């Protein structure tokens, strides 16, 4: 079997195309969805380009994407004893369940449906997991004009480590306490997401990560 090679010219084209999207979309300029876009400025941080290529191309080819890793973990857990989970996972589940419960059954307006279409992702799964165990799985999808939530694992998966998930729910609690999201808070969340993406604490396709964060923001606020 021949190995696929990625040409330098193709990588340069990817860099030039991707580097154009460097401005975050602000919360006040958007509707219920589409509040956050990760500002990938590869020219200032080449590490983000490496992470992008790894998540978008290499990991799916090598079956190391979140969904493939999830299936492998589930397969191994049938014969191996489960590792002890961090004590803060109870709070992570409680908070995430609260956000997703507010989303489940939400009737979207025409403008909100249009915003989701522009995002390009109407079906995504969030999995809190490490190399040994899956701690939480939640699937969010659009059925007609209604947001639905269940516990299925799907290929459009974003994985987040338990510690990063804990940081995320604490951040959302703080930022959404007043029922709104300021531009500074949105920028801070975007920068946090980029750091975790670069470190590997959050993995998956960029569009899927943005969708998950936007769903969480919508479920955490007043809408």
């Amino acid at each position: 079997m021949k190995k696929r090679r990625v040409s330098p010219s193709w990588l340069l084209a990817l860099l030039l195309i991707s580097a154009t999207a460097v401005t975050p979309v602000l919360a006040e300029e958007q509707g219920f969805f589409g509040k956050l876009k990760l500002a990938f400025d590869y020219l200032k941080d080449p590490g983000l380009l490496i992470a992008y290529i790894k998540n978008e191309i290499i990991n799916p080819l090598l079956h190391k994407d979140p969904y493939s890793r999830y299936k492998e973990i589930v397969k191994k857990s049938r014969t191996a004893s489960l590792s002890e989970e961090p004590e803060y996972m109870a709070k992570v589940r409680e908070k995430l369940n609260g956000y997703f419960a507010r989303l489940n059954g939400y009737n979207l307006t025409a403008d909100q449906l249009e915003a989701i279409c522009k995002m390009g992702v109407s079906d995504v799964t969030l999995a809190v997991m490490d190399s040994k165990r899956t701690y939480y799985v939640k699937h969010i999808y659009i059925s007609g004009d209604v947001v639905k939530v269940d516990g299925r694992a799907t290929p459009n998966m974003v994985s987040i480590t338990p510690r990063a998930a804990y940081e995320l729910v604490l951040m959302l609690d703080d930022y959404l306490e007043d029922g709104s999201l300021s531009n500074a808070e949105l920028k801070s969340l975007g920068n946090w997401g980029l750091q975790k993406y670069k470190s590997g604490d959050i993995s998956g396709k960029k569009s899927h990560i943005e969708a998950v964060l936007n769903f969480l923001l919508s479920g955490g606020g007043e809408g």
Side-chain angles (χ1 to χ4, degrees), residues 113-124:
L113 273 173
E114 183 180 358
I116 290 175
C117 288
K118 288 181 179 179
M119 274 184 11
V121 179
S122 59
D123 168 86
V124 68

Side-chain angles (χ1 to χ4, degrees), residues 47-80:
L48 287 175
L49 175 61
I50 295 172
Y52 182 86
I53 294 173
K54 184 178 179 181
N55 279 277
E56 301 287 329
I57 302 170
I58 297 176
N59 284 346
L61 283 175
L62 298 179
H63 301 291
K64 292 183 178 181
D65 57 286
Y67 186 59
S68 296
R69 291 191 290 111
Y70 166 82
K71 290 191 294 183
E72 188 65 25
I73 290 171
V74 170
K75 182 179 178 181
K76 290 180 178 179
S77 67
R78 293 171 184 168
T79 57

Side-chain angles (χ1 to χ4, degrees), residues 17-61:
I17 293 172
S18 302
T20 60
V22 298
T23 304
V25 177
L26 301 182
E28 288 80 353
E29 298 171 355
Q30 296 298 314
F32 188 75
F33 285 88
K35 295 177 180 177
L36 178 68
K37 276 191 168 295
L38 299 179
F40 277 32
D41 193 340
Y42 303 123
L43 298 177
K44 293 182 179 178
D45 190 347
L48 287 175
L49 175 61
I50 295 172
Y52 182 86
I53 294 173
K54 184 178 179 181
N55 279 277
E56 301 287 329
I57 302 170
I58 297 176
N59 284 346
L61 283 175

Side-chain angles (χ1 to χ4, degrees), residues 126-143:
L126 173 67
V128 180
M129 63 185 188
D130 53 28
S131 61
K132 298 179 180 179
R133 181 176 175 180
T134 301
Y135 302 90
Y136 185 88
V137 175
K138 197 65 74 175
H139 172 229
I140 314 100
Y141 64 102
I142 308 303
S143 178

Side-chain angles (χ1 to χ4, degrees), residues 59-112:
N59 284 346
L61 283 175
L62 298 179
H63 301 291
K64 292 183 178 181
D65 57 286
Y67 186 59
S68 296
R69 291 191 290 111
Y70 166 82
K71 290 191 294 183
E72 188 65 25
I73 290 171
V74 170
K75 182 179 178 181
K76 290 180 178 179
S77 67
R78 293 171 184 168
T79 57
S81 58
L82 292 177
S83 58
E84 185 175 346
E85 71 176 34
E87 59 181 14
Y88 53 75
M89 274 307 304
K91 182 170 185 177
V92 170
R93 287 194 189 92
E94 176 189 357
K95 294 298 182 181
L96 290 177
N97 283 337
Y99 298 143
F100 290 128
R102 288 191 285 273
L103 277 175
N104 194 26
Y106 183 90
N107 290 288
L108 297 162
T109 66
D111 288 342
Q112 290 163 354

